[in-house]
Amino acid sequence: MYSFFPLFYMAWADAVLLPSEIAAIEGYLRKQVWLTPEETEFLSGFLDPKHPPTPQELKSWKKAINESELEVRDSLAEIGMKLSNLKGSDTPVEVRTALLEMEDMLGIASSEATYHLRANKPKTIIEELASRPSFDPAIMNALLDGAEHDIIQKVKTILCDPAFRYIDPDSLTTYREQVLTWCRLLAEQGFGAMAYPEAYGGEDDMRKYFTIMETLSYHDLSTVIKFGVQFGLWGMSVYFLGTKKHHDKYLKDIGTLQLPGCFAMTETGHGSNVKGVQTTATYQHSNRTFIIHTPTELDTKEYIGNAALHGQMATVFAKLIIDDTDYGVNAFVVPLRTPKGEMHTGVTITDCGRKMGLNGVDNGKIAFDQVEIPYDNMLDKYASVDESGNFQSPITSDNRRFFTMLGTLVGGRIGIPRAGLSAAKSGLTIAIKYGDQRQQFGPENGQEVPILNYRTHQRRLMPLLANAYALHFALQHVTNRFLKRTEDEMQEIEAMAAGLKAWATWNTTHTLQECREACGGKGYLSENRLDRLKNDTDVFTTFEGDNTVLMQLVAKGRLSEFKKQFSDINFFGMVNYVTQHAKTSIVEMNPITIRNTDEAHLLDPEFHLAAFRYHENEILSSAAKRFKKHLDAGMDSFDAFNQTQYHMVQVGHAYVERLILEQFLEAVERTEDPKCKEALRKLCQLFALTQLEKNKGWYLEQDYLAGSKTKAIRKLINQLCWEVRQDAVALVDAFKIPKECLGAEIVG
């Protein structure tokens, strides 16, 4: 009878024995001629669903089974025979045959049976998986920080001071005043004036300024934005758009926060359309002044940081009117309130109130009613009014002058994605460290395992970790290009900054949502800060330019380059272009290549880069053809662009993803430490394959990838996530975010 215990135990293991299973087992028992009627009735008694074995009986069976020495691949029949022999019975061979047939009928695998029945189970693969860093996080941190390591460490040290301890943000008044205090403390360290010339208290170091902003973003993001409004938007507009008289008068006090100010560009009814602002600055030659005026409520300056409470002056963008002639948008310094907080005549400011996030920033609406300002308050680097009352500019074209003026302020589109990336790194650090510690579920009768060991959890977080590293190097690249820019490069750099700003901040929003969900209920608690990170960065997708609009801006730039490329090509150049395009078709799109599922090929950076470039070139070419088709049909260019808007956004995505991959590959190649290099290579492969999987529908439509290849890519992504998981904690440790900045109870 003992030989049947393992089978019965497994049959009742899930507490439900189906009628079909009961009937089948009873049928087998009745066929066994070596069983007496009494023995058959005895065994059938254990199959009655109305009277199942008691918990005590099941445990006694399990105890008896564990007395036999089980092998890894033992079947239930073999386990039953061992148990029967152990109890001193000479079991007929017919028993083994019957048990094997019943085991097969129940669909119980030998390995499954043995695992459930063994007392001392071997650890499963998922139980064995753990954090095993393959590199030194300190070396990786030095690689990430680069030449800015010292200033990064200095900022982190300041942020760890008790003076920067987080406060409850529920009270707007208290929170706003605390943020102002933090900004003053940072100004005392010389951080605010860092990019200004030495004569005005700075170090003339724009790179350090960007680095300071990025590092501050590990801390309170309201402080980062207020810091950026004061020393970046307000201060940099005076610095870049003004001349020496403005620098002498304002810059030093701006850098020390003695002169709080604003950047008043956005209007209620015009949003991202800066060229369409309706605020006017009318020149009066009789007393050499300008009259700043808001024509309608829709022309109110809205969402202006520092305006509601603290700003004393503002850089106001307004249309310059001279003798009823509109000379386009220019910038003016306009007083708002006295140092004591008293509003100047003609200025009306209302508080925007509580927002979804960034409530430490006092955003306000500003309206001007015939406000008179002195002649010298026009920021006149690119345009001015001469002594005779005539408009003057070194740049004759209105469009070129306008875009040159805005181009000097493109730094904001570099600072915001870098700040957003820091927030994403914070979220990933919290979620990955928590996932490495938090244990839940596991094999039956085994230990619970860290949730980061589960494939689904790895799939959620590892590609986002790869994105963070990819963006780190891409944003370093655009920063370097901006700092070393020439006038001829500005259009390209502006497109690069706009595209990366959009892609990076969308990624931040997605990353923080995934991190919140990955931490379950703990991620929903304010004590773990993911709510603040999510809410404070959500607006990053729409300020400094709405992301969808920015991607269209990128597409316009790419179309202009595409058009110029073909207009400059002579006959032989066209032949060369066609030849190169044909080579792509032959090499990359032949039946063997599009179906190649070899792992070495799928991990090859040349395959990745070729696929990304093909995507970019084909979608750009397609957009150009669609646009031209509409124009040839007589459609207005504005309407033609509107018809192709969705396509244009995809052009922007393809351009940015290719740019990010190129910079990641270059970063991998210049990494000297072999262990760090290998870790980065895996992340780069994961980034590339994840993007290919994301765009697989397009690649399948183009017959660039076969279905078998996209399936192989999916499988390889899973494997890379499994491998990266072992380095995941070390990879976030390499960010070296102080625990005082993380502010999350779940990571200690």
Side-chain angles (χ1 to χ4, degrees), residues 24-88:
I25 295 174
E26 286 180 336
Y28 272 109
L29 292 176
R30 283 194 295 270
K31 290 179 183 178
Q32 309 311 310
V33 295
W34 49 272
L35 285 174
T36 66
E38 292 79 10
E39 291 171 336
T40 301
E41 184 179 355
F42 173 76
L43 292 172
S44 296
F46 292 114
L47 302 176
D48 185 357
K50 294 181 181 179
H51 302 92
T54 65
Q56 291 77 13
E57 285 178 310
L58 283 175
K59 288 185 180 296
S60 67
W61 294 355
K62 180 75 178 297
K63 184 178 179 182
I65 292 166
N66 284 327
E67 292 176 3
S68 59
E69 295 182 3
L70 306 185
E71 301 295 332
V72 174
R73 294 293 176 184
D74 278 351
S75 66
L76 285 176
E78 289 163 334
I79 295 171
M81 297 291 282
K82 285 184 178 181
L83 181 59
S84 179
N85 292 334
L86 184 67
K87 297 299 181 180

Side-chain angles (χ1 to χ4, degrees), residues 292-327:
I292 308 298
H293 185 65
T294 303
T296 73
E297 187 176 346
L298 286 176
D299 308 318
T300 302
K301 298 296 183 182
E302 186 168 3
Y303 230 96
I304 310 304
N306 260 4
L309 294 175
H310 304 131
Q312 295 175 18
M313 306 191 88
T315 294
V316 176
F317 287 81
K319 296 192 299 182
L320 173 60
I321 309 295
I322 305 175
D323 295 332
D324 297 325
T325 301
D326 183 349
Y327 286 92

Side-chain angles (χ1 to χ4, degrees), residues 584-709:
T584 297
S585 298
I586 294 170
V587 175
E588 297 175 32
M589 299 186 65
N590 69 71
I592 296 175
T593 304
I594 67 174
R595 289 175 173 77
N596 190 349
T597 59
D598 182 69
E599 185 173 308
H601 166 69
L602 296 179
L603 294 176
D604 188 347
E606 290 187 10
F607 159 61
H608 302 156
L609 201 51
F612 277 48
R613 286 173 176 167
Y614 178 80
H615 182 214
E616 179 188 10
N617 292 335
E618 286 300 309
I619 207 164
L620 175 60
S621 175
S622 175
K625 289 174 185 175
R626 289 174 186 231
F627 189 66
K628 187 176 185 301
K629 180 182 177 182
H630 291 309
L631 293 180
D632 290 345
M635 188 179 287
D636 179 80
S637 61
F638 184 83
D639 289 332
F641 194 84
N642 188 43
Q643 287 287 333
T644 57
Q645 268 190 338
Y646 177 77
H647 217 75
M648 295 301 175
V649 172
Q650 302 313 308
V651 169
H653 278 281
Y655 164 76
V656 174
E657 286 162 8
R658 186 266 304 163
L659 173 67
I660 294 172
L661 178 61
E662 284 182 342
Q663 295 312 309
F664 204 166
L665 288 170
E666 288 184 19
V668 172
E669 288 308 307
R670 65 174 176 262
T671 299
E672 296 178 357
D673 182 84
K675 293 180 179 179
C676 287
K677 188 170 189 171
E678 183 56 30
L680 290 176
R681 178 177 285 110
K682 283 185 181 179
L683 285 174
C684 189
Q685 291 166 340
L686 180 55
F687 168 78
L689 292 176
T690 302
Q691 302 313 308
L692 291 178
E693 183 183 46
K694 181 183 74 176
N695 296 314
K696 70 179 180 182
W698 184 88
Y699 284 108
L700 287 166
E701 289 175 352
Q702 300 295 313
D703 290 326
Y704 189 88
L705 299 177
S708 57
K709 194 165 185 175

Side-chain angles (χ1 to χ4, degrees), residues 138-209:
I139 297 175
M140 186 71 84
N141 172 253
L143 186 154
L144 294 174
D145 288 356
E148 305 309 309
H149 180 77
D150 289 347
I151 187 66
I152 291 172
Q153 288 307 115
K154 182 177 180 180
V155 175
K156 287 178 178 177
T157 300
I158 297 296
L159 294 177
C160 290
D161 188 89
F164 282 87
R165 186 175 291 120
Y166 290 120
I167 67 166
D168 190 326
D170 284 350
S171 167
L172 277 184
T173 302
T174 303
Y175 188 23
R176 287 171 169 182
E177 290 307 313
Q178 181 62 69
V179 167
L180 178 64
T181 298
W182 283 335
C183 285
R184 291 194 188 283
L185 292 174
L186 295 170
E188 289 173 7
Q189 295 292 326
F191 294 158
M194 185 62 68
Y196 306 159
E198 293 182 12
Y200 306 109
E203 295 184 18
D204 201 17
D205 196 330
M206 190 71 178
R207 186 184 302 278
K208 277 189 180 178
Y209 175 78

Side-chain angles (χ1 to χ4, degrees), residues 573-584:
M574 182 62 74
V575 170
N576 184 56
Y577 174 83
V578 172
T579 302
Q580 291 300 320
H581 203 71
K583 284 182 179 177
T584 297

Side-chain angles (χ1 to χ4, degrees), residues 200-430:
Y200 306 109
E203 295 184 18
D204 201 17
D205 196 330
M206 190 71 178
R207 186 184 302 278
K208 277 189 180 178
Y209 175 78
F210 281 133
T211 303
I212 290 166
M213 283 280 289
E214 182 178 51
T215 311
L216 289 175
S217 301
Y218 291 131
H219 189 254
D220 180 81
L221 287 160
S222 285
T223 303
V224 175
I225 299 306
K226 194 172 184 75
F227 183 96
V229 168
Q230 171 66 24
F231 307 114
L233 295 177
W234 161 228
M236 296 296 184
S237 62
V238 171
Y239 181 33
F240 286 126
L241 301 180
T243 50
K244 190 174 186 300
K245 62 186 176 186
H246 303 107
H247 302 164
D248 291 345
K249 187 173 183 179
Y250 301 119
L251 270 188
K252 192 165 187 178
D253 286 345
I254 293 174
T256 59
L257 229 172
Q258 292 301 305
L259 181 58
C262 313
F263 184 81
M265 178 183 281
T266 302
E267 293 182 358
T268 303
H270 313 293
S272 297
N273 183 18
V274 180
K275 203 173 182 182
V277 300
Q278 295 299 306
T279 301
T280 57
T282 305
Y283 177 66
Q284 298 185 118
H285 191 55
S286 58
N287 60 358
R288 291 177 63 76
T289 61
F290 297 95
I291 301 297
I292 308 298
H293 185 65
T294 303
T296 73
E297 187 176 346
L298 286 176
D299 308 318
T300 302
K301 298 296 183 182
E302 186 168 3
Y303 230 96
I304 310 304
N306 260 4
L309 294 175
H310 304 131
Q312 295 175 18
M313 306 191 88
T315 294
V316 176
F317 287 81
K319 296 192 299 182
L320 173 60
I321 309 295
I322 305 175
D323 295 332
D324 297 325
T325 301
D326 183 349
Y327 286 92
V329 178
N330 287 270
F332 303 84
V333 174
V334 182
L336 301 178
R337 50 169 69 88
T338 68
K340 293 183 179 180
E342 299 165 348
M343 214 74 70
H344 284 294
T345 304
V347 177
T348 301
I349 299 178
T350 54
D351 196 327
C352 287
R354 185 173 290 278
K355 307 179 292 291
M356 183 175 173
L358 298 177
N359 283 303
V361 182
D362 53 318
N363 294 93
K365 301 177 183 179
I366 311 175
F368 304 100
D369 184 9
Q370 306 294 334
V371 176
E372 187 176 84
I373 62 171
Y375 169 83
D376 283 342
N377 281 33
M378 180 178 183
L379 296 174
D380 55 2
K381 182 173 183 178
Y382 297 107
S384 62
V385 180
D386 65 18
E387 293 183 1
S388 301
N390 297 314
F391 180 79
Q392 299 291 334
S393 174
I395 305 172
T396 55
S397 166
D398 288 348
N399 275 341
R400 188 176 167 212
R401 181 171 58 254
F402 174 74
F403 286 110
T404 299
M405 179 177 68
L406 291 188
T408 61
L409 305 173
V410 76
R413 287 181 182 164
I414 296 174
I416 290 302
R418 289 182 63 162
L421 178 58
S422 290
K425 288 177 179 178
S426 294
L428 286 165
T429 301
I430 294 168

